[in-house]
């Protein structure tokens, strides 16, 4: 019985091999032996079929591994391997092609795969299995190959027992683990001697096929990427069969583990683009040094001429008029040795508190009327702008950077390039960044913002020296010098470059608010600086200004979420816009004397009745009234436009409101300056012309739309265009370059606009 029981399966095995020879897909299917290397050649008219039969013992899991090799690197005619089992088919080609980041390809001539093991049967008798391996090619010539099929003896992992193995991108490995009866949780600890190549460790259920290739290992189970070490905790309750596969896949590239990614274009192109970007803006530094040197020479010559004229006047007459008589000096505008209390939004001198309303109701105001507070108190007040914007920048930028890095990682890992709206015809990657050129082009904002800070610092130092010397022109002449807002503007320009670069890491609808947030602040700070120039004592404090910016940014976020189709949002926003315009206009017209509280409506009715109905007289402050009427008409027009058209790009809509108000106020200021017989010196005149020219050129490139997240990704790509500068930068990069220069010149306009008043007494400088 024992002999017959043994011989019967043998006869069955012979019958299976005969059936394979009679009905196989090849002309002469050859019985294969495990552990034997088969060498041969195939072409379009000749293929090879091998049949490997084996016996599986009851309760035993048998795993088979197939190793193939071909010396041919011809991608047009690869060698095709098809493995057929009882419950599945596995196929691949040699050379085996893997695709990496940015469509890079990696070819492998050696491939080995573990076949999905046969499930153990409850039968008590051994079962026979057969595997067919087909080797074929469509090549019109012979292509050599090697084939080796082996049975894995160490396929099952053991608890607390180390197991060594090797793998490669084309030769992944996986093994079986079964939970012992007394174990409910295990930790799979994997250690590699080298940090790279990057690996993926996956735990998958006992299901065929096994996902053991780079492009599909993440589709099933849980996984971790690893360099030198990985550890995965697995619980028995997660696998009803109380067993699982541990899969090891090697990545063809190391980017998933933090390694470097080879560049898609030659390194010299990147180096050339970087040199161009930095040298272009370093030229502004050189120009500033030249202007400062020329200015220094002129000052020295004037000082020498002044000393000679003083000596001549002294020799001819010992008398003469003083430049400033004590009765004309501002009582609190100069430095004193007395201690100065902490900054406050309120006037600190009782005499000013008692008569400031009288002063501010004068029909014709002069700068001396609105610069009566102690200079050091006011300067400390404006320095808060600088320190607050640094704090805001840090807390705003860090989460933004983290978020856009996450976006870029998702794009790289999933390969879904519909997430980010790049100009794909001019997107040059570097490392993990998909469009490095759009990020590099923002370097101008940071470099010119830092240069502006240096220019302001130089002026601040010279002003401090003059104050220390009790220079009469510094103390009683010209516009009072407060540099806190200028420092804040320089920081805002630098942060605009940082956040614009963050937006362009992955430009889309949700991220656009990052690109515009500091644009709001730049426009707001410029308006505050213009107003502060002739209203130093009554300008807004840093806390109220930044609180207003916070409200604007909050509205921008709400607009991104609700501003697409929700009519209720546009109604509420338009009401807020109109009411804010009226409230701000009232504050400006009455120089801050019109209190905004519960009685504002009653006072407004009284003013309208007495000034417009009862007297019907012309406004007391005609110039201010004209500006505010035009400003309100502009803002109401924006509100009506928003209600009617509901633009989807809400962030740009708000930015347009800020820019139009800034331009309107700047034009009013320059016109009133010229009406007051004040001059424009050569430097501010040059800056005004340069600002207009550069802004015009910048806006031309801005409106060359290269992508649009208002449309679908496919529609957006229809707008993509090739690079136009150095084969590296596109139209939007040129906009970045030019807008940085335009903002820099705009800041210089505000910094130098009133330099002609440095020798004019403050009680002769009109307020408007």
């Amino acid at each position: 019985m024992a002999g017959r029981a043994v011989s019967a399966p043998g006869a069955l095995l012979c019958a299976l091999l005969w059936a394979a020879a009679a009905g196989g897909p090849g002309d002469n299917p050859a019985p294969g032996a495990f552990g034997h290397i088969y060498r041969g050649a195939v072409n379009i008219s000749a293929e090879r079929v091998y049949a490997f039969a084996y016996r599986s013992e009851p309760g035993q899991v048998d795993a088979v591994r197939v190793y193939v090799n071909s010396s041919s690197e011809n991608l047009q005619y690869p060698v095709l391997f098809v493995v057929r089992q009882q419950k599945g088919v596995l196929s691949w080609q040699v050379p085996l092609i893997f695709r990496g980041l940015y469509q890079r390809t990696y070819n492998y001539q050696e491939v080995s795969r573990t076949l999905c093991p046969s499930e153990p049967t409850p039968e008590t008798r051994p079962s026979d299995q057969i595997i067919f391996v087909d080797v074929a090619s469509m090549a019109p010539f012979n292509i050599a190959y090697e084939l080796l099929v082996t049975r894995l003896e160490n396929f099952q992992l053991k608890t607390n027992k180390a197991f060594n193995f090797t793998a490669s991108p084309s030769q992944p490995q996986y093994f079986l683990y079964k939970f012992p009866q007394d174990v409910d949780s295990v930790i799979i600890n994997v250690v590699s001697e080298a940090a790279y190549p990057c690996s993926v460790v996956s735990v998958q259920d006992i299901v065929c096929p096994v996902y053991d290739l780079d492009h599909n290992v993440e589709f099933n189970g849980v996984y971790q990427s690893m360099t030198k070490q990985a550890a995965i905790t697995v619980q028995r309750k997660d696998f009803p069969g109380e067993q699982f596969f541990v899969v090891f896949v090697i990545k063809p590239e190391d980017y998933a583990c933090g390694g470097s990614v080879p560049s898609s274009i030659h390194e010299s192109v990147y180096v050339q683009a970087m040199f161009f970007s930095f040298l272009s803006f370093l030229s502004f530094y050189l120009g500033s040094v030249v202007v400062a040197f020329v200015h220094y020479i002129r000052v020295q010559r004037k000082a020498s001429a002044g000393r000679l004229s003083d000596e001549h006047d002294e020799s001819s007459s010992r008398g003469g008029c003083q430049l400033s008589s004590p009765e004309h000096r501002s009582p609190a505008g100069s430095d004193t040795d007395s201690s100065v209390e902490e900054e406050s939004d309120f006037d600190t001198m009782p005499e000013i508190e008692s008569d400031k309303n009288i002063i501010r109701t004068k029909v014709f105001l002069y700068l001396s009327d609105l610069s009566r507070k102690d200079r050091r108190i006011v300067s400390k007040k404006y320095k808060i702008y600088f320190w607050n914007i640094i704090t805001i920048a840090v807390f705003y930028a860090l989460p933004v950077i983290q978020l856009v890095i996450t976006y870029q990682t998702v794009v790289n890992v999933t390969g879904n390039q519909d997430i980010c709206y790049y100009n794909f015809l001019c997107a040059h990657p570097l490392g993990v960044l998909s469009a490095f050129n759009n990020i590099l082009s923002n370097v101008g904002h940071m470099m010119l913002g830092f240069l502006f800070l240096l220019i302001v610092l130089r002026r601040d130092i010279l002003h401090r020296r003059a104050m220390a010397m009790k220079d009469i022109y510094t103390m009683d002449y010209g516009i009072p010098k407060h540099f806190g807002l200028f420092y804040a503007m320089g920081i805002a320009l630098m942060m605009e470059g940082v956040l614009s670069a963050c937006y362009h890491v992955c430009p889309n609808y949700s991220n656009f608010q990052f690109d515009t947030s500091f644009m709001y602040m730049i426009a707001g700070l410029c308006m505050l600086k213009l107003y502060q120039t002739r209203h130093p004592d009554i300008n807004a404090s840093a806390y109220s200004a930044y609180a207003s910016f916070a409200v604007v940014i909050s509205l921008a976020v709400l607009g991104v979420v609700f501003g697409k189709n929700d009519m209720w949002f546009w109604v509420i926003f338009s009401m807020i816009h109109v009411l804010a315009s009226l409230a701000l206009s009232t504050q400006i017209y009455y120089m801050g004397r019109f209190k905004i509280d519960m009685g504002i409506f009653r006072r407004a009715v009284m003013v309208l009745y007495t000034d417009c109905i009862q007297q019907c007289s012309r406004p007391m402050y005609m110039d201010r009234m004209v500006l505010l009427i035009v400003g309100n008409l502009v803002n109401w027009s924006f509100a009506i436009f928003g209600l009617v058209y509901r633009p989807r790009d809400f962030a740009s809509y708000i930015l347009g409101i800020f820019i139009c108000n800034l331009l309107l106020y700047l034009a009013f200021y320059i016109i009133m300056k010229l009406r007051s017989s004040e001059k424009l010196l050569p430097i501010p005149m040059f800056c005004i012309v340069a600002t207009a020219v550069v802004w015009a050129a910048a806006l031309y490139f801005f409106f060359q739309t290269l992508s649009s997240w208002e449309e679908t990704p496919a529609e957006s790509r229809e707008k993509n265009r090739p690079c136009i500068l150095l084969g590296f930068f596109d139209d939007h990069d040129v906009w970045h370059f030019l807008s940085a220069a335009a903002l820099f010149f705009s800041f210089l306009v505000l910094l130098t606009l009133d330099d002609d008043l440095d020798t004019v007494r403050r009680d002769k400088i009109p307020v408007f």
Side-chain angles (χ1 to χ4, degrees), residues 17 29 46-47 59 249 285 337 353 358 436 456 491 516 526 542 571 599 607 618 673 745:
L17 291 177
E47 64 177 289
V249 174
Y285 284 76
D337 294 332
E353 183 65 37
I358 300 175
F436 175 69
V456 174
I491 295 296
T516 55
C526 288
V571 171
V607 169
R618 68 188 300 271
K673 181 178 177 68
F745 283 125

Short mmCIF file of all heavy atoms in Angstrom, two decimals, residues 17 29 46-47 59 249 285 337 353 358 436 456 491 516 526 542 571 599 607 618 673 745:
data_model
loop_
_atom_site.label_atom_id
_atom_site.label_comp_id
_atom_site.label_asym_id
_atom_site.label_seq_id
_atom_site.Cartn_x
_atom_site.Cartn_y
_atom_site.Cartn_z
N LEU A 17 3.01 16.43 -17.27
CA LEU A 17 4.07 16.89 -18.15
C LEU A 17 3.77 16.52 -19.59
O LEU A 17 4.04 17.27 -20.52
CB LEU A 17 5.42 16.30 -17.72
CG LEU A 17 5.96 16.84 -16.38
CD1 LEU A 17 7.27 16.12 -16.03
CD2 LEU A 17 6.20 18.33 -16.45
N PRO A 29 7.50 22.26 -25.77
CA PRO A 29 7.62 22.63 -24.34
C PRO A 29 8.59 21.69 -23.65
O PRO A 29 8.53 20.47 -23.81
CB PRO A 29 6.21 22.47 -23.81
CG PRO A 29 5.32 22.51 -25.02
CD PRO A 29 6.11 21.92 -26.13
N ALA A 46 10.44 32.18 -33.15
CA ALA A 46 10.88 31.11 -32.23
C ALA A 46 10.69 31.58 -30.80
O ALA A 46 11.24 32.61 -30.41
CB ALA A 46 12.33 30.74 -32.49
N GLU A 47 9.89 30.85 -30.03
CA GLU A 47 9.73 31.13 -28.61
C GLU A 47 9.95 29.84 -27.83
O GLU A 47 9.95 28.75 -28.39
CB GLU A 47 8.35 31.71 -28.32
CG GLU A 47 7.19 30.76 -28.63
CD GLU A 47 5.85 31.37 -28.25
OE1 GLU A 47 5.59 31.48 -27.03
OE2 GLU A 47 5.08 31.72 -29.16
N GLY A 59 -0.21 21.37 4.30
CA GLY A 59 0.09 22.41 5.27
C GLY A 59 1.34 23.21 4.98
O GLY A 59 1.71 24.08 5.77
N VAL A 249 10.77 46.65 -1.42
CA VAL A 249 10.93 47.20 -2.77
C VAL A 249 12.01 48.28 -2.71
O VAL A 249 12.01 49.12 -1.80
CB VAL A 249 9.60 47.79 -3.29
CG1 VAL A 249 9.81 48.49 -4.63
CG2 VAL A 249 8.55 46.69 -3.41
N TYR A 285 22.51 97.82 -5.93
CA TYR A 285 23.40 98.15 -4.82
C TYR A 285 24.52 99.07 -5.30
O TYR A 285 24.86 100.06 -4.63
CB TYR A 285 23.99 96.87 -4.22
CG TYR A 285 23.03 96.09 -3.36
CD1 TYR A 285 22.00 95.34 -3.90
CD2 TYR A 285 23.15 96.10 -1.97
CE1 TYR A 285 21.12 94.62 -3.11
CE2 TYR A 285 22.28 95.39 -1.16
CZ TYR A 285 21.26 94.65 -1.74
OH TYR A 285 20.39 93.94 -0.95
N ASP A 337 16.81 116.82 27.46
CA ASP A 337 17.46 115.86 28.36
C ASP A 337 16.49 115.26 29.35
O ASP A 337 16.85 114.41 30.16
CB ASP A 337 18.60 116.56 29.12
CG ASP A 337 19.72 116.97 28.18
OD1 ASP A 337 19.87 116.30 27.15
OD2 ASP A 337 20.43 117.96 28.48
N GLU A 353 -3.43 118.96 24.86
CA GLU A 353 -4.74 118.34 25.03
C GLU A 353 -5.84 119.40 25.07
O GLU A 353 -6.95 119.20 24.59
CB GLU A 353 -4.75 117.52 26.31
CG GLU A 353 -6.04 116.77 26.57
CD GLU A 353 -6.27 115.72 25.50
OE1 GLU A 353 -5.29 115.09 25.05
OE2 GLU A 353 -7.44 115.54 25.12
N ILE A 358 -8.79 123.13 18.79
CA ILE A 358 -8.78 124.47 18.20
C ILE A 358 -7.80 124.54 17.04
O ILE A 358 -8.09 125.10 15.99
CB ILE A 358 -8.42 125.51 19.29
CG1 ILE A 358 -9.45 125.47 20.41
CG2 ILE A 358 -8.31 126.90 18.68
CD1 ILE A 358 -9.12 126.37 21.57
N PHE A 436 11.50 75.60 -10.33
CA PHE A 436 12.49 76.39 -9.59
C PHE A 436 12.62 77.79 -10.16
O PHE A 436 12.90 78.75 -9.43
CB PHE A 436 13.84 75.67 -9.63
CG PHE A 436 14.96 76.44 -8.99
CD1 PHE A 436 14.98 76.65 -7.62
CD2 PHE A 436 15.98 76.98 -9.76
CE1 PHE A 436 16.00 77.36 -7.03
CE2 PHE A 436 17.00 77.69 -9.18
CZ PHE A 436 17.02 77.89 -7.81
N VAL A 456 17.43 103.36 4.22
CA VAL A 456 16.72 103.99 5.33
C VAL A 456 17.62 104.06 6.56
O VAL A 456 17.65 105.08 7.28
CB VAL A 456 15.43 103.21 5.64
CG1 VAL A 456 14.75 103.77 6.90
CG2 VAL A 456 14.47 103.28 4.47
N ILE A 491 10.76 95.46 5.23
CA ILE A 491 10.49 94.08 5.65
C ILE A 491 9.33 93.50 4.84
O ILE A 491 9.36 92.33 4.43
CB ILE A 491 10.18 94.04 7.16
CG1 ILE A 491 11.41 94.45 7.97
CG2 ILE A 491 9.74 92.64 7.57
CD1 ILE A 491 12.60 93.52 7.84
N THR A 516 -0.66 87.41 -1.98
CA THR A 516 -1.26 88.75 -1.92
C THR A 516 -1.30 89.36 -0.52
O THR A 516 -1.51 90.56 -0.40
CB THR A 516 -2.71 88.70 -2.46
OG1 THR A 516 -3.45 87.71 -1.74
CG2 THR A 516 -2.72 88.35 -3.95
N CYS A 526 2.19 102.09 2.62
CA CYS A 526 2.51 103.25 1.78
C CYS A 526 1.50 104.38 1.99
O CYS A 526 1.88 105.56 2.08
CB CYS A 526 2.54 102.84 0.31
SG CYS A 526 3.96 101.82 -0.16
N ALA A 542 0.43 101.51 15.32
CA ALA A 542 0.75 100.23 14.69
C ALA A 542 -0.29 99.18 15.02
O ALA A 542 -0.64 98.35 14.17
CB ALA A 542 2.14 99.77 15.13
N VAL A 571 -22.91 90.76 -0.51
CA VAL A 571 -23.73 91.83 0.08
C VAL A 571 -23.10 92.31 1.38
O VAL A 571 -22.94 93.53 1.60
CB VAL A 571 -25.16 91.32 0.32
CG1 VAL A 571 -25.96 92.34 1.13
CG2 VAL A 571 -25.85 91.02 -1.01
N GLY A 599 -22.82 107.49 19.28
CA GLY A 599 -23.46 108.74 18.89
C GLY A 599 -23.04 109.26 17.54
O GLY A 599 -23.34 110.42 17.20
N VAL A 607 -24.27 117.41 11.48
CA VAL A 607 -23.31 118.03 10.57
C VAL A 607 -23.95 118.25 9.21
O VAL A 607 -23.82 119.32 8.59
CB VAL A 607 -22.03 117.17 10.45
CG1 VAL A 607 -21.16 117.66 9.30
CG2 VAL A 607 -21.25 117.21 11.75
N ARG A 618 -19.96 126.37 1.33
CA ARG A 618 -18.91 125.51 0.79
C ARG A 618 -18.20 124.81 1.92
O ARG A 618 -18.13 125.32 3.04
CB ARG A 618 -17.93 126.32 -0.05
CG ARG A 618 -17.09 127.29 0.76
CD ARG A 618 -16.27 128.21 -0.14
NE ARG A 618 -15.38 127.50 -0.99
CZ ARG A 618 -14.12 127.17 -0.66
NH1 ARG A 618 -13.66 127.47 0.55
NH2 ARG A 618 -13.34 126.55 -1.51
N LYS A 673 1.15 119.18 -3.71
CA LYS A 673 2.52 119.64 -3.49
C LYS A 673 2.91 120.68 -4.54
O LYS A 673 3.48 121.73 -4.21
CB LYS A 673 3.47 118.44 -3.53
CG LYS A 673 4.93 118.76 -3.28
CD LYS A 673 5.77 117.49 -3.31
CE LYS A 673 7.24 117.83 -3.13
NZ LYS A 673 7.55 118.33 -1.77
N PHE A 745 11.49 101.40 -6.54
CA PHE A 745 11.43 102.80 -6.96
C PHE A 745 10.25 103.51 -6.31
O PHE A 745 10.34 104.70 -5.97
CB PHE A 745 11.34 102.90 -8.48
CG PHE A 745 12.64 102.65 -9.19
CD1 PHE A 745 12.75 101.68 -10.16
CD2 PHE A 745 13.77 103.40 -8.88
CE1 PHE A 745 13.95 101.45 -10.82
CE2 PHE A 745 14.98 103.19 -9.54
CZ PHE A 745 15.07 102.21 -10.50
#
